Amino acid sequence: MSKAAAFQALTVETLPTRLVGVEALASRIGGDSASWDVREVGDGNLNLVFIVKGDKGSAVVKQALPYVRLVGESWPLPLKRSFFEYHALTRQEARAGAGTVPAIYHFDEAQALIVMEYLTPHVILRRALIEGRQLPKIARDLGLFMARTLFRGSDLSMKARARKEDLALFADNAELCDITESLVFTDPYYEATLNRHTSPQLDGLVAELRADRDLKVEAQKLKHMFAANAETLVHGDLHSGSIMVTDSETRIIDPEFAFYGPMAFDVGMLLANFWMAYFSQSGHEEDGDREAMRGYLLGVVVETWSVFRTEFSHLWRNERTGMLYDRRLFEDRGDPLGAEQALDRVLHDIWIDMLGFAGVEIHRRILGLAHNADFETIAEEDLRARCETKALKFGRHLAVNRHRLLSLDEINTLAIRIEKGNVA
Ligand code: SR1
Ligand code: MG
């Protein structure tokens, strides 16, 4: 496909003839395009995703559409998000290692498409958690991924000029940031047109939250940080639908929301999704008790944070090559404890902000436009509303009290009390 050709959305029918000339694809899956088996499998909110199988192998073709798929053409969205996804994937692979993200075979900027590795037998993590599957490696893999990408994309590691140039490149991903700025931090807290919630069951609590001054101030403080604190290249949409898993592998996908933002954003969004999985479990108990699964999920939260902290600390001690917390001020003059003190402060700030981001992420998935399947697949509305109510209360507690919360033990104990109905 020529780079100059005007954008055209692919279809199952047109893909083989349009992509047969892409050598990186044909050489991998086989050049007989007439025999390619093509399926469109995109179930996300934004893009087309095709699985293409040939006689030699398979690949995924992901193409952006010029609008938000979930809403339709009334909400235009730039194709250039594909460019940011491509560049984010290359940086994540360099920083977190091959095998953490899908391998890229080809990128076509004009057609806003990326040809990449077909991950099989991987499934979307969210689906696995809904089914009650306990994945043994996710906490470790995700903790490492976040520590490595967030540390190595920051002024703790990069040369200042290189980082500023990269920051300028990703600053153009403004429309995707705008989605998060509105959908996560503002819309859930007023009657935005595209919002929805389980009604009438949640009406009372929703009105309470929208009248909650402390909560709204906190949400805006977090939005301020999201918009103004360009610390590192974040994934930007690191929820359990952006992760593909097997028992032995974890792959992070879909970084089209990538931009330079606060360190704590990815961590908070990810842990929020584990806590939502926790509160949704009682909606999925038709085929068996989920108590062990609940314990597993709280354990994943603890382990993910612990691995993140440990790896971040390791990188701090061994790879602090950027302009921040210059070694000449600490280690090089015999004051390693000074560097440790600074590390504690940095990690403490990430901790506090991470809890806030987690709180508002939980709210927006229940009150806003983009809900998640953990709750949405609970068909019985009263049951779903009970799960959502617990999650909303928990999210409020995280967002408003984040400066006072000292440990995950304390937070998970609260989650258990809310789940058991021991908190008003
Ligand atoms: C209009 S896009 C809605 C949501 O889908 C993406 O996965 C992001 O989470 C975004 O907020
Ligand atoms: Mg996505």
Side-chain angles (χ1 to χ4, degrees):
M1 191 178 295
S2 132
K3 256 202 139 190
F7 172 84
Q8 235 188 320
L10 293 163
T11 66
V12 167
E13 292 74 29
T14 61
L15 187 146
T17 43
R18 290 189 58 205
L19 297 194
V20 65
V22 175
E23 176 56 21
L25 177 62
S27 63
R28 193 162 297 270
I29 71 169
D32 176 15
S33 66
S35 71
W36 288 357
D37 172 40
V38 185
R39 277 186 304 135
E40 205 279 311
V41 296
D43 64 351
N45 296 328
L46 300 181
N47 309 298
L48 296 170
V49 181
F50 300 90
I51 296 172
V52 191
K53 293 185 180 171
D55 50 11
K56 278 173 63 185
S58 28
V60 158
V61 177
K62 178 172 177 182
Q63 187 179 38
L65 288 166
Y67 54 85
V68 174
R69 185 177 184 173
L70 171 71
V71 176
E73 294 185 31
S74 62
W75 187 341
L77 197 63
L79 296 170
K80 65 187 175 194
R81 63 185 186 274
S82 181
F83 169 89
F84 297 113
E85 175 160 358
Y86 166 72
H87 283 287
L89 283 168
T90 61
R91 284 152 184 72
Q92 288 167 345
E93 180 171 90
R95 290 170 189 160
T100 56
V101 298
I104 297 176
Y105 305 144
H106 174 74
F107 172 54
D108 182 333
E109 189 174 343
Q111 296 304 319
L113 69 82
I114 306 174
V115 182
M116 64 183 108
E117 184 179 3
Y118 171 46
L119 297 171
T120 182
H122 303 63
V123 295
I124 293 286
L125 174 59
R126 194 187 300 289
R127 298 277 162 199
L129 299 179
I130 291 170
E131 284 169 15
R133 272 182 64 189
Q134 299 184 18
L135 289 306
K137 285 196 70 234
I138 52 171
R140 181 173 163 73
D141 291 344
L142 292 166
L144 290 177
F145 178 84
M146 291 191 296
R148 289 171 181 170
T149 54
L150 300 175
F151 184 95
R152 290 176 174 153
S154 78
D155 273 324
L156 294 168
S157 167
M158 290 178 76
K159 296 294 168 227
R161 166 155 284 284
R163 202 188 84 87
K164 285 185 170 68
E165 283 170 5
D166 213 41
L167 195 156
L169 182 131
F170 279 93
D172 194 28
N173 203 9
E175 290 78 5
L176 279 275
C177 288
D178 176 60
I179 289 182
T180 307
E181 285 151 7
S182 301
L183 263 50
V184 175
F185 299 103
T186 299
D187 291 4
Y189 303 108
Y190 81 105
E191 294 70 24
T193 325
L194 294 173
N195 283 351
R196 64 190 172 84
H197 62 260
T198 308
S199 180
Q201 292 88 340
L202 295 185
D203 290 355
L205 179 54
V206 173
E208 229 178 84
L209 293 172
R210 289 185 180 151
D212 188 330
R213 188 179 297 148
D214 291 343
L215 175 61
K216 288 189 289 183
V217 169
E218 218 43 69
Q220 290 307 294
K221 183 111 192 15
L222 290 157
K223 180 175 183 173
H224 188 164
M225 209 183 310
F226 178 87
N229 193 1
E231 269 184 312
T232 190
L233 183 65
V234 299
H235 177 287
D237 200 26
L238 191 54
H239 54 76
S240 51
S242 299
I243 298 160
M244 298 194 71
V245 290
T246 65
D247 280 347
S248 56
E249 260 212 353
T250 311
R251 299 288 193 104
I252 291 84
I253 64 170
D254 281 2
E256 65 208 312
F257 284 78
F259 79 112
Y260 275 80
M263 293 252 180
F265 185 70
D266 284 350
V267 190
M269 182 180 278
L270 181 65
L271 296 196
N273 277 264
F274 292 140
W275 277 313
M276 282 188 276
Y278 172 83
F279 286 111
S280 72
Q281 289 300 312
S282 56
H284 303 293
E285 275 181 323
E286 63 283 347
D287 46 3
D289 175 67
R290 292 289 181 98
E291 196 50 26
M293 187 64 190
R294 277 188 280 273
Y296 161 79
L297 285 163
L298 295 186
V300 167
V301 168
V302 172
E303 191 186 344
T304 303
W305 174 251
S306 158
V307 171
F308 170 80
R309 265 189 73 102
T310 305
E311 180 66 6
F312 192 95
S313 303
H314 171 78
L315 297 172
W316 178 279
R317 291 173 194 130
N318 297 288
E319 281 190 21
R320 215 170 69 252
T321 50
M323 67 166 167
L324 293 180
Y325 305 96
D326 197 315
R327 304 182 81 85
R328 286 172 298 188
L329 304 179
F330 301 109
E331 290 92 336
D332 293 356
R333 50 189 299 125
D335 185 19
L337 287 181
E340 290 298 304
Q341 187 178 320
L343 169 62
D344 280 349
R345 295 262 310 258
V346 168
L347 282 171
H348 186 65
D349 288 346
I350 296 175
W351 160 259
I352 290 171
D353 299 342
M354 170 281 274
L355 295 176
F357 289 128
V360 296
E361 166 70 5
I362 292 173
H363 285 169
R364 71 96 168 212
R365 293 294 187 185
I366 299 170
L367 307 179
L369 164 71
H371 288 220
N372 58 26
D374 309 60
F375 297 119
E376 293 298 289
T377 52
I378 304 171
E380 214 261 278
E381 288 189 4
D382 287 343
L383 176 57
R384 187 200 315 148
R386 283 197 295 280
C387 296
E388 291 175 327
T389 297
K390 292 171 184 173
L392 286 173
K393 289 183 175 170
F394 179 75
R396 195 251 173 215
H397 188 80
L398 291 187
V400 173
N401 298 311
R402 64 199 175 96
H403 291 276
R404 290 186 285 278
L405 297 172
L406 297 177
S407 73
L408 280 174
D409 267 1
E410 176 188 351
I411 294 168
N412 282 345
T413 300
L414 176 75
I416 293 167
R417 288 180 53 217
I418 292 177
E419 172 59 23
K420 290 188 188 310
N422 293 336
V423 173

